[in-house]
Amino acid sequence: MLSFGVFAVGTDGFVIAGLLPAIAGSLHVSVAAAGQLVTVFAISYAVLAPVLAALTASWSRRAVLVTALAVFTIGNAVTALAPGYGLVLASRALAAAGAALFTATATATAAMLAGERERGRAIAIVMLGSTTSLVFGAPLGTLVGGNLDWRATMWLVSGLGLLAVPGIALWLPARGRGVSPGVRGYLAPLRNPRVVGLLVTTVVAFVGIYMPYTYISEIFAPAIGHGPDALAMLLLTFGIAGTLGNITAGHQADRRGARRVVIAVTLALGVVFALTPLATGTIPAALVAVVLSGFFSFGVTTPQQHRIIALTPSGQSLVTSLYQSAVYLAVSLSGAAGALGLQAFGSQALPLLAAVLVFAAAVLTVLLDRTRPGEGPAEAA
């Protein structure tokens, strides 16, 4: 049930990219302005994830999870009903608050219930919901929005959130109360320069990764037009390739060291993005570009988390919370930077801007995270 809840939350986060043209037309704004729905959701998620975790630390995990899904569902219902652009923006912030609280709490709860021996497997099962939301949820939502209305997709997401509530409320033990570490406790890892350097690198990398994804409908418009079926096919392909990339990168991080994997993947992704403008004219070429970009984009996530956990093994929950905030800060910046690039240079310039950013992330990884003498693969992460 925790995994299903993460599936609902992830679908909400990913599906907007496939609905931008429809949302823009319905609300009488530009596609770039519609893209700011992604920005607002991501900023709200990044800011509220550690804050809400601290405020609800003394609650039972069951109460936190049910409350989070309630807030998430209400936020999406307001989005579906909102008559204008301003209220839609506000409702995205509300949905993000519920999403941020649910995802962080679901992962920690799975680890707590499973115990140390089964902790990794439990977290993997929960986070499978995020992967499947990209593979199935986002394309499904795009098809629903394209063939019915984008507001129907918002109702679909609200319904998915509600479906997870009964199982969590009935079956999850009402335990897990703790003590809030306070803002100072959450920010303690930021006194470590290596943590700060890794978070900065994460932001740079994921701005580059999410910029083409957010505006995928515009980048590949020469090949697919604005048809929902073709766009859903690209999103499904991206998600499947991303799932394989994530699994492969995790395996290689264990064998070769996470830092090496991040460098290799960001360099490869930079090449793919640089060549993407050559692949936007036909469906076969677009599919090749989407497969490669999806595979390498999700090849960053797991090894980067390995690296930050290795830096502060005694404060994993704190640094992973900060890592999630960095990722969603990057998502918000990608929406804003992509809008500027779209208006100033056109859609074909966005992959080139993304290539510059992921190349920069590779360089930062080399310069800021050099292996110190005596470190093994985990510490060198």
Side-chain angles (χ1 to χ4, degrees), residues 310-331:
L311 289 177
T312 53
S314 62
Q316 294 181 10
S317 61
L318 302 184
V319 292
T320 53
S321 174
L322 291 170
Y323 173 83
Q324 291 297 324
S325 292
V327 170
Y328 274 87
L329 173 62
V331 174

Side-chain angles (χ1 to χ4, degrees), residues 35 71 109 198 243 266 280:
V71 172
T109 301
L198 193 145
T243 302
T266 47
T280 60

Side-chain angles (χ1 to χ4, degrees), residues 10 25 38 107 117 119 141-142 201 206 220 223 234 252 263 269 279 305 327-328 331 346 352:
V38 177
T107 303
R117 294 184 61 183
R119 184 171 297 162
T142 301
T201 305
F206 280 95
F220 292 102
L234 288 187
Q252 292 300 315
I263 293 171
L269 188 58
Q305 290 189 76
V327 170
Y328 274 87
V331 174
L352 300 178

Side-chain angles (χ1 to χ4, degrees), residues 227-251:
D229 294 344
L231 180 57
M233 178 181 65
L234 288 187
L235 292 172
L236 176 62
T237 302
F238 185 91
I240 294 173
T243 302
L244 295 175
N246 188 40
I247 295 171
T248 303
H251 178 67

